[in-house]
Amino acid sequence: MASHPTNEIGSPYKEIRAVTRAFDLLEAAGDLGWAKVGELATYTGIDRGTLYRLIHTLEMKGYLVRRAEDGAVSLTERILQLGDGVRHEDVATQVMSQALRGLTEQLMWPSDFATLVAGRMVIQASSHKFSPVSVHRRLVGKTRPVLRSALGLAYLGSLSRGDLSRTLDVMRRIGTVSREDLAILPNIERRLEEMHQRGYAFSVGLVENNISAIALPVRLGRRPIGAVNIAFFRSAMSPAEAASTCLKPLRECIVRAEAAMLAQTQL
Amino acid sequence: MASHPTNEIGSPYKEIRAVTRAFDLLEAAGDLGWAKVGELATYTGIDRGTLYRLIHTLEMKGYLVRRAEDGAVSLTERILQLGDGVRHEDVATQVMSQALRGLTEQLMWPSDFATLVAGRMVIQASSHKFSPVSVHRRLVGKTRPVLRSALGLAYLGSLSRGDLSRTLDVMRRIGTVSREDLAILPNIERRLEEMHQRGYAFSVGLVENNISAIALPVRLGRRPIGAVNIAFFRSAMSPAEAASTCLKPLRECIVRAEAAMLAQTQL
DNA sequence: CCATATTGTTCACAGATCGAACAAGGAAAT
DNA sequence: ATTTCCTTGTTCGATCTGTGAACAATATGG
């Protein structure tokens, strides 16, 4: 079928004009601070009538504000709110990738770092390809059930009560609570309490029959951002045996990674 | 003439659908972190075909990125870059409003705080209404020429060489260099050097024949953000006389205001 | 291997977005 | 005080854009 000119090698889509202009306007507002509509028209080249419509839309969404005294326009803090947490995801993934590699070289067993995304634990970094005892290669992007995996339980156990409630609400809203999960939900707080007393989360034969895992949460400062696991053959040892040998190096690895993340996000 | 339903009392514009959807997508990406296109469609209710086009546009503008491994989408740091300085404008104006009021109660002469906006010094806060010797009431939004006013010269004198060049380039680009300015430009660096040696900026009979002013810059940390002046009757004293009595309290007022701003922006 | 789910793309059409033109108000000059 | 010029805010028909149902391709799970 016929294709039309693309803006990027391989992409068939044109840029959406109104959206592009909206961001041109926001960038101009960022450059200029408080600016009159006529000034914005001169600076961006966008017709004044179009600007009035764009400004109205961005006002309704809360990203721009107009000063009553002279009609000047400025960005609001909502842009910053939108960006909250952005930097940290990238830094965390980068730091954890390196940290997991080191851990796996030390222990042989592979590890994954996952964050809660769209009601699932999504693997963001993984050391399986560095482990001599793993057959998995591409795990990044794969998901684990929040309520039944070691990764999910470790993460949930690091949330405050309020954040735990909100997280479960989001999961219900977007439909990631499975039938197996429904059996677990009534007891989730007790299971998390048991996990606190034990000192780690675990699962047995969840994703694959012969694979078990233990996991600990990861924080940025005091804020939980995800969890790290160690996966091992069920036949090789029990979770308790895994914990007795691997928990200490896992915890130490996480502490060093958390410090590195904190250093980088405050630069 | 016939009007149509408005989204806000008194506003005749409908929201631009594509722009609204683009921000719904960004907000969803902010909520979810790395998310697949199908997940974003479920979360936002926007058709997948539409999302592909929006994502493409936002990728081209640099606000979203797609992960090659599984096509997941995430916000980028550019949102934060867009928002740089947002919070500070509001805080600075609020703090300076209170500070200028105190200064005017102490000195009687009115003051203005201005920032560089769209190639002009725009008055963001003013104490004229608290001064018994001013006839002006509404100055916020009014502008002063950058190259000839005390406010403008104080601000320019606090910029690094690189920022000074960039600022003059922006002014040329958006056409705020007047004919009077053109006579000054060749000597601007010498005038700023003389100002440094004098310790303050001044103007005589600029906006009104009978009004002179002296001014000092205002910084947030090390970053120049604007300037504050003291306006007085030309017949009452010369700039040098004004400086001998008013410069010390003006400087002290600015130091206190800068400290208050720094404290607030680091909360 | 097959069925199902998911991803990515297309294109006719409904309707959204655009900007020239107009109306109103404010500022500056006389 | 009046006139002229500039700026702001709004309108609406025409043009073009953005949309989503449908299709093709790929990936996943049984």
Side-chain angles (χ1 to χ4, degrees):
Chain A
M1 54 196 66
S3 66
H4 50 61
T6 65
N7 295 288
E8 179 189 13
I9 294 177
S11 171
Y13 304 111
K14 291 175 67 178
E15 291 179 46
I16 296 177
R17 192 181 191 202
V19 172
T20 296
R21 287 174 139 190
F23 281 91
D24 289 343
L25 168 56
L26 288 177
E27 286 164 9
D31 287 344
L32 301 177
W34 287 105
K36 308 280 277 284
V37 176
E39 290 160 349
L40 289 165
T42 301
Y43 193 78
T44 60
I46 301 174
D47 185 88
R48 288 185 316 103
T50 303
L51 279 180
Y52 278 97
R53 285 190 300 275
L54 288 167
I55 288 165
H56 170 70
T57 301
L58 293 167
E59 266 191 292
M60 298 307 296
K61 297 300 288 182
Y63 292 98
L64 286 180
V65 70
R66 291 195 77 185
R67 186 163 62 192
E69 286 166 294
D70 64 344
V73 170
S74 180
L75 283 173
T76 68
E77 290 182 13
R78 191 178 167 89
I79 283 282
L80 298 171
Q81 288 156 12
L82 185 58
D84 263 0
V86 169
R87 199 169 289 171
H88 308 331
E89 297 286 313
D90 294 336
V91 168
T93 300
Q94 182 206 341
V95 167
M96 294 312 306
S97 292
Q98 291 178 323
L100 296 195
R101 180 170 183 170
L103 185 65
T104 298
E105 286 169 353
Q106 178 185 354
L107 297 180
M108 299 299 215
W109 298 110
S111 286
D112 309 299
F113 167 65
T115 62
L116 183 72
V117 175
R120 296 184 174 90
M121 297 304 291
V122 179
I123 295 173
Q124 308 290 355
S126 177
S127 68
H128 277 254
K129 70 192 178 199
F130 302 115
S131 169
V133 292
S134 170
V135 298
H136 294 293
R137 284 296 166 264
R138 195 175 88 74
L139 282 178
V140 168
K142 292 289 197 271
T143 64
R144 296 289 178 263
V146 177
L147 293 169
R148 290 178 282 124
S149 65
L151 287 167
L153 290 168
Y155 177 71
L156 291 181
S158 65
L159 296 177
S160 65
R161 274 182 176 278
D163 285 343
L164 179 61
S165 291
R166 276 185 285 277
T167 298
L168 300 179
D169 283 347
V170 166
M171 287 172 63
R172 289 189 194 93
R173 177 185 173 193
I174 63 183
T176 56
V177 179
S178 72
R179 275 178 29 186
E180 296 103 317
D181 291 335
L182 287 171
I184 293 167
L185 263 173
N187 300 322
I188 191 65
E189 293 194 7
R190 185 163 57 80
R191 289 168 77 109
L192 295 179
E193 179 55 33
E194 287 169 1
M195 188 188 70
H196 278 126
Q197 292 180 0
R198 185 188 314 123
Y200 61 92
F202 76 92
S203 66
V204 174
L206 179 72
V207 175
E208 292 175 45
N209 260 349
N210 63 334
I211 302 292
S212 293
I214 61 173
L216 290 178
V218 177
R219 293 176 176 87
L220 185 59
R222 307 174 76 97
R223 191 170 65 88
I225 61 168
V228 171
N229 71 0
I230 295 175
F232 48 92
F233 290 131
R234 188 174 179 174
S235 58
M237 54 189 168
S238 70
E241 289 171 311
S244 72
T245 56
C246 300
L247 202 55
K248 187 165 184 286
L250 174 58
R251 185 176 289 121
E252 287 165 354
C253 171
I254 290 174
V255 164
R256 284 194 302 271
E258 285 173 342
M261 281 187 270
L262 207 50
Q264 289 200 40
T265 56
Q266 283 175 343
L267 284 174
Chain B
M1 58 198 59
S3 67
H4 51 63
T6 65
N7 294 287
E8 177 190 17
I9 294 175
S11 172
Y13 303 111
K14 292 173 70 182
E15 289 179 46
I16 298 177
R17 192 179 192 208
V19 173
T20 296
R21 284 171 142 196
F23 281 91
D24 289 343
L25 168 57
L26 289 177
E27 286 164 10
D31 288 345
L32 301 177
W34 286 104
K36 307 279 277 292
V37 175
E39 290 160 349
L40 288 165
T42 301
Y43 194 80
T44 59
I46 299 173
D47 185 89
R48 288 184 317 100
T50 303
L51 279 180
Y52 279 98
R53 286 187 302 275
L54 288 168
I55 289 164
H56 170 71
T57 301
L58 293 168
E59 265 191 292
M60 297 308 297
K61 297 299 288 184
Y63 293 98
L64 285 181
V65 70
R66 291 195 76 187
R67 185 162 63 191
E69 286 166 293
D70 64 345
V73 171
S74 182
L75 283 174
T76 69
E77 292 182 14
R78 190 179 169 88
I79 283 282
L80 298 171
Q81 289 157 10
L82 185 57
D84 262 1
V86 169
R87 201 168 286 170
H88 307 334
E89 297 287 312
D90 294 338
V91 168
T93 301
Q94 183 206 340
V95 167
M96 293 312 306
S97 291
Q98 292 177 325
L100 296 194
R101 182 172 183 169
L103 185 66
T104 298
E105 286 167 352
Q106 176 186 355
L107 297 180
M108 299 299 218
W109 297 110
S111 287
D112 310 298
F113 166 64
T115 62
L116 183 72
V117 174
R120 297 185 174 89
M121 297 303 291
V122 179
I123 296 175
Q124 309 288 355
S126 177
S127 68
H128 277 254
K129 68 192 180 202
F130 302 114
S131 170
V133 291
S134 172
V135 296
H136 295 292
R137 283 295 168 264
R138 194 177 86 77
L139 283 179
V140 169
K142 293 287 196 269
T143 66
R144 297 286 179 262
V146 176
L147 293 166
R148 290 178 284 122
S149 65
L151 287 166
L153 292 167
Y155 177 72
L156 290 181
S158 64
L159 297 177
S160 65
R161 276 183 174 276
D163 285 342
L164 179 60
S165 292
R166 278 185 284 276
T167 298
L168 298 178
D169 284 347
V170 167
M171 288 171 65
R172 288 190 195 94
R173 178 184 170 192
I174 62 184
T176 55
V177 179
S178 71
R179 274 180 28 185
E180 296 103 317
D181 293 335
L182 286 171
I184 295 170
L185 264 173
N187 300 322
I188 190 62
E189 292 195 7
R190 186 162 59 78
R191 288 170 74 113
L192 295 178
E193 179 55 33
E194 287 168 0
M195 188 188 69
H196 278 124
Q197 295 183 359
R198 187 187 313 122
Y200 59 92
F202 76 92
S203 66
V204 174
L206 179 72
V207 176
E208 293 174 42
N209 257 347
N210 61 333
I211 302 291
S212 293
I214 59 172
L216 290 178
V218 177
R219 295 177 175 81
L220 185 60
R222 308 174 75 97
R223 189 169 69 86
I225 60 167
V228 170
N229 70 359
I230 295 175
F232 49 92
F233 290 132
R234 186 174 180 175
S235 58
M237 55 188 166
S238 69
E241 289 169 313
S244 71
T245 56
C246 300
L247 203 56
K248 188 167 183 284
L250 174 58
R251 186 176 289 119
E252 286 165 355
C253 171
I254 289 173
V255 164
R256 285 193 300 272
E258 284 172 344
M261 281 188 271
L262 206 52
Q264 287 199 41
T265 58
Q266 281 173 343
L267 283 176

